[in-house]
Amino acid sequence: MAYDKFNILKSSAVPLPIENVDTDQIIPARFLKATERVGFGDNLFRDWRYNSDDTPKKDFVLNNDTFSGKILVGGKNFGSGSSREHAAWAIYDYGFRCVVSSFFADIFRNNCLNIGVLPVQVSPVFLEQIFAAIDADPNSNFTVDLPHQKISIDASGAAEHFEINPYKKENMTNGFDDIDYLLNIKEDIRTFSKNTPL
Amino acid sequence: MKKTLFDKVWDKHIVQQIDQGPDVLFIDRHMVHEVTSPVAFLGLKNRDIKVMYPERTFATADHNTPTINQHLPVADPLSAKQLDALEKNAKEHGISYWGLGHEKNGIVHVVGPEYGITLPGATIVCGDSHTSTHGAFGAIAFGIGTSEVEMVLSTQCILQPKPKKMRITINGNLQFGVTPKDVALFIISQLTTSGATGHFVEYAGDVFKNMSMEGRMTVCNLSIEMGARGGMIAPDEKTFHYIKGREFTPEGADWDKAMGYWQELFTDEGASFDKEFIFDGAAIEPMITFGTNPGMGIGISKDIPTADDIEGGAATYQKALDYMGFNEGESMIGKSIDFVFVGSCTNGRIEDFRAFAEMVKGRKKADNVTAWLVPGSHKVEKAIKEEGLLEILQASGFELREPGCSACLAMNDDKVPIGKYAVSTSNRNFEGRQGPGSRTLLASPIMAAAAAVTGKVTDPRTLMNS
Ligand code: SF4
């Protein structure tokens, strides 16, 4: 599925300084019953965001108007657990385009890259600086520069380089997905399949 | 060049290496279920393409299915819609489909090995993270997202950067009462839930060599819980014996040809790993978790660690304990519990039910406990009946349900109510995993059995004759 191209993103950020945020929290299993990719943003962090009677939990960050923006900043080991791509969909659908953490779970990272959410892994020290900047001013802006693989805190000018596979970077900046690539080499795949041992 | 088991299988499946990019990896076998596949099939429809090799994909309904009255129409309209979509998609594309009530129906990772879909040296994927289970046969098996499901359906390939390699070696004899589940929970407690992120794990050493195939599946199943892409164990005689004669296992000349490949599947002497861990099997105790991720586990005789003892944020740790209603420094033994769940792709196979039945035999289910015993497949259910385990269970006050994922992820009606404690043989104790507000203690089938008959957390060894 095509997604918006990612180039330079300038935005305020939403802080979620919790470690090991797993995909069951990002989107609980009971909201995985759709047969189409619509409406997942409403259930992003459902059980942290709403009480069991569906009233919003006041102290959860997504219910706090002070914080907004297209960047979600999470604690270490973000996205562990289930392979559900729905977690990445929910994040995208809610309006985030970038997730920042000091460590990501593998499948979650892949899923994000496949649907146009940029996972930016920073050092633990820089992550603390980002949280501190939001703490000092919830409206503080951050710049995520994909071409230069750099994330910066606008107020202080502090910046850090981040890694991304060059192939994935190209895809993200162009809004391409992997399926297009694979469909183009179908003949090679056919030839290869004739010689597989199983 | 010296290669690891993982290298050998991976390299055999590279269709193309993209410069500075991921490898194009050919997938031998693909399993789909109703929850993570509909959007992928929709993608195919939008592109107007068909499944490239339908004979390499197998569909079963499991995540969303009721575990009672499966002969009746599914009551939840959303679940019913997903199940219908799977059936329709499978038919349209000519894929084997084992729907609700079908004799081969069951949890994807249980039925794969049962019918010989799972083979040594194969690449196996599924839109479910516990696909790592199939690594028990020496396969490279891992969970994928829905976009990747669409890739495999349409091209039988996915793009993957080659993971790093880790080896976990455990020698020595396991103590009495220590099961494969305990070995896995022990490893995760040592490595933490992110300790193997970016890596593919090979399990080596006597402990895994001596394990049954089902035990190996339990261990490989839980690889994902330490962040690994997957885990694998080199195939041996036990593996070949297990797969021989199953429906989708190659036969005759094809078997011989495959065997030529399979016999090469071991890590060469001197091959290198990015990370290695070595543990002493004799040091492992029966394990139980006390927190909200599978790394928060302890030997049953130990106390809940204090925040100072653990790596990671104290606030996050405290949040987990608050959720569970536990305190630092407490013992788990004697804590009252409300539910017991035996099942899932981690511990829902026949050996698990044998172990559970042996422990409860001649005892009674505690009155304060609701027990859900859910076989991983119809084949397991049948074996439970044929082996006479059902009578033992019933005599002790237990009932057997019909196969499915059930309370492992609580997408169906099998939900643990808010605030209640469940001793569960499944794989995740995340907040709300077994129902909103549920509190999960992960453990082995015998620990679950001990809890089921005593109504509280109990060291299973105290109920066993050594
Ligand atoms: S039993 Fe649990 S972990 Fe296994 S496939 Fe089903 S939902 Fe996934």
Side-chain angles (χ1 to χ4, degrees):
Chain A
M1 183 157 155
Y3 51 83
D4 296 344
K5 296 176 186 177
F6 197 111
N7 208 294
I8 294 175
L9 173 67
K10 209 181 215 354
S11 168
S12 56
V14 176
L16 192 67
I18 299 172
E19 293 173 13
N20 304 317
V21 172
D22 60 73
T23 49
D24 276 82
Q25 307 319 315
I26 300 173
I27 184 139
R30 61 190 192 281
F31 300 109
L32 307 183
K33 296 191 181 188
T35 46
E36 286 171 69
R37 203 190 126 177
V38 287
F40 287 100
D42 295 342
N43 296 316
L44 175 67
F45 293 114
R46 181 77 201 193
D47 292 338
W48 285 353
R49 199 165 143 202
Y50 295 100
N51 294 306
S52 46
D53 62 359
D54 289 340
T55 54
K57 291 188 182 175
K58 292 244 161 31
D59 55 352
F60 187 63
V61 66
L62 295 189
N63 296 324
N64 185 340
D65 292 342
T66 321
F67 303 102
S68 65
K70 294 187 170 182
I71 303 171
L72 176 65
V73 189
K76 189 177 91 184
N77 196 25
F78 194 91
S80 57
S82 143
S83 62
R84 58 188 71 159
E85 194 169 299
H86 312 66
W89 297 343
I91 286 171
Y92 187 96
D93 198 38
Y94 183 87
F96 292 116
R97 289 294 172 272
C98 172
V99 184
V100 180
S101 170
S102 58
F103 199 87
F104 288 98
D106 281 332
I107 305 183
F108 177 77
R109 180 204 301 264
N110 265 350
N111 286 343
C112 283
L113 286 165
N114 280 335
I115 66 142
V117 171
L118 181 67
V120 171
Q121 185 162 325
V122 296
S123 66
V125 175
F126 197 73
L127 186 70
E128 286 314 313
Q129 289 181 27
I130 294 175
F131 282 132
I134 304 172
D135 231 15
D137 174 12
N139 296 318
S140 54
N141 267 327
F142 303 86
T143 305
V144 182
D145 180 342
L146 178 57
H148 294 101
Q149 296 177 225
K150 203 173 86 174
I151 174 166
S152 36
I153 304 171
D154 290 9
S156 65
E160 198 172 87
H161 176 84
F162 63 84
E163 291 298 326
I164 180 170
N165 179 290
Y167 166 86
K168 284 289 180 191
K169 177 172 165 181
E170 168 112 3
N171 272 2
M172 288 282 293
T173 43
N174 291 300
F176 293 160
D177 64 27
D178 286 348
I179 301 179
D180 298 327
Y181 184 93
L182 290 172
L183 288 171
N184 280 328
I185 60 160
K186 246 180 144 168
E187 272 321 302
D188 296 345
I189 297 171
R190 225 181 283 280
T191 310
F192 183 91
S193 79
K194 298 204 174 89
N195 296 312
T196 51
L198 300 170
Chain B
M1 207 187 94
K2 311 255 184 257
K3 285 183 164 194
T4 66
L5 165 65
F6 175 76
D7 292 325
K8 288 179 184 175
V9 181
W10 183 276
D11 294 352
K12 197 91 182 170
H13 290 85
I14 300 174
V15 178
Q16 197 188 81
Q17 285 178 303
I18 301 174
D19 187 33
Q20 291 201 303
D23 291 341
V24 176
L25 199 69
F26 188 81
I27 301 302
D28 293 315
R29 296 196 165 176
H30 179 207
M31 310 231 21
V32 298
H33 60 83
E34 74 277 20
V35 174
T36 54
S37 69
V39 173
F41 280 109
L42 205 60
L44 258 63
K45 192 170 174 187
N46 292 338
R47 289 174 203 259
D48 196 21
I49 47 179
K50 284 283 186 198
V51 172
M52 190 173 181
Y53 294 112
E55 69 279 13
R56 291 182 179 275
T57 292
F58 302 81
T60 180
D62 57 3
H63 279 59
N64 226 336
T65 52
T67 56
I68 46 166
N69 295 327
Q70 287 188 351
H71 59 286
L72 299 177
V74 174
D76 178 339
L78 292 174
S79 300
K81 199 170 160 208
Q82 275 193 335
L83 293 167
D84 284 349
L86 182 65
E87 180 168 6
K88 234 178 72 242
N89 288 328
K91 282 217 175 99
E92 189 183 326
H93 292 275
I95 294 166
S96 302
Y97 168 69
W98 304 338
L100 205 56
H102 190 287
E103 58 163 354
K104 289 184 194 147
N105 176 257
I107 303 172
V108 283
H109 313 310
V110 176
V111 299
E114 280 177 346
Y115 295 98
I117 296 165
T118 308
L119 295 174
T123 44
I124 303 171
V125 296
C126 170
D128 181 283
S129 54
H130 294 93
T131 308
S132 58
T133 312
H134 310 267
F137 294 79
I140 289 183
F142 54 93
I144 57 176
T146 298
S147 295
E148 292 168 321
V149 173
E150 188 179 338
M151 290 173 215
V152 180
L153 290 173
S154 53
T155 67
Q156 206 58 42
C157 287
I158 51 171
L159 293 169
Q160 289 287 302
K162 189 172 177 180
K164 293 192 192 133
K165 289 163 288 180
M166 176 186 288
R167 179 162 60 187
I168 298 176
T169 307
I170 309 188
N171 285 311
N173 288 327
L174 294 180
Q175 284 177 42
F176 165 72
V178 173
T179 71
K181 178 67 162 288
D182 301 306
V183 173
L185 287 177
F186 169 81
I187 298 170
I188 305 164
S189 75
Q190 298 298 302
L191 268 71
T192 78
T193 48
S194 57
T197 301
H199 293 77
F200 220 95
V201 175
E202 178 178 345
Y203 298 98
D206 296 343
V207 163
F208 305 108
K209 260 189 216 120
N210 296 337
M211 246 177 218
S212 69
M213 287 312 296
E214 296 198 358
R216 292 179 189 180
M217 287 186 235
T218 301
V219 169
C220 289
N221 173 282
L222 287 159
S223 305
I224 180 76
E225 304 308 335
M226 49 188 177
R229 278 320 303 267
M232 64 201 302
I233 295 173
D236 57 11
E237 282 312 312
K238 223 182 262 179
T239 319
F240 302 134
H241 178 76
Y242 182 101
I243 58 172
K244 186 132 200 165
R246 293 185 188 253
E247 186 171 340
F248 293 92
T249 304
E251 290 176 323
D254 289 339
W255 169 274
D256 296 339
K257 183 175 150 226
M259 195 50 115
Y261 166 51
W262 292 339
Q263 268 164 347
E264 300 291 307
L265 297 180
F266 52 85
T267 289
D268 296 332
E269 195 76 45
S272 72
F273 289 84
D274 298 283
K275 260 191 196 169
E276 292 235 37
F277 289 92
I278 299 173
F279 299 109
D280 173 14
I284 304 172
E285 261 201 292
M287 299 283 296
I288 191 159
T289 66
F290 59 88
T292 55
N293 71 54
M296 301 175 85
I298 45 173
I300 187 72
S301 73
K302 307 267 179 356
D303 295 335
I304 297 173
T306 62
D308 302 337
D309 297 335
I310 56 125
E311 216 186 292
T316 301
Y317 187 68
Q318 193 53 50
K319 181 174 181 288
L321 289 188
D322 290 347
Y323 181 87
M324 294 302 294
F326 296 152
N327 296 306
E328 298 181 344
E330 286 178 348
S331 166
M332 290 297 292
I333 293 174
K335 289 198 177 294
S336 177
I337 60 126
D338 311 290
F339 283 76
V340 165
F341 171 58
V342 182
S344 87
C345 57
T346 310
N347 284 120
R349 285 172 290 265
I350 189 64
E351 287 178 10
D352 303 313
F353 285 92
R354 282 184 202 138
F356 184 89
E358 191 181 321
M359 173 72 97
V360 302
K361 189 174 182 177
R363 298 189 167 96
K364 287 274 179 230
K365 181 183 80 60
D367 290 339
N368 61 316
V369 171
T370 304
W372 290 326
L373 311 188
V374 185
S377 69
H378 277 303
K379 204 177 165 105
V380 174
E381 183 187 22
K382 206 164 150 234
I384 291 172
K385 292 177 179 161
E386 285 173 0
E387 293 183 15
L389 302 179
L390 185 59
E391 281 102 62
I392 298 174
L393 296 171
Q394 284 173 340
S396 299
F398 294 94
E399 287 163 37
L400 192 64
R401 297 172 82 89
E402 292 170 285
C405 294
S406 179
C408 173
L409 89 168
M411 266 190 93
N412 67 359
D413 289 337
D414 308 343
K415 291 182 175 54
V416 174
I418 186 164
K420 298 289 183 199
Y421 291 97
V423 174
S424 177
T425 69
S426 58
N427 41 58
R428 287 190 173 136
N429 50 350
F430 298 149
E431 284 182 33
R433 171 77 178 187
Q434 298 196 285
S438 61
R439 293 158 156 173
T440 302
L441 314 178
L442 299 176
S444 73
I446 57 174
M447 179 86 78
V453 294
T454 59
K456 52 195 184 203
V457 176
T458 301
D459 184 337
R461 293 170 297 189
T462 59
L463 303 182
M464 295 162 84
N465 308 316
S466 54

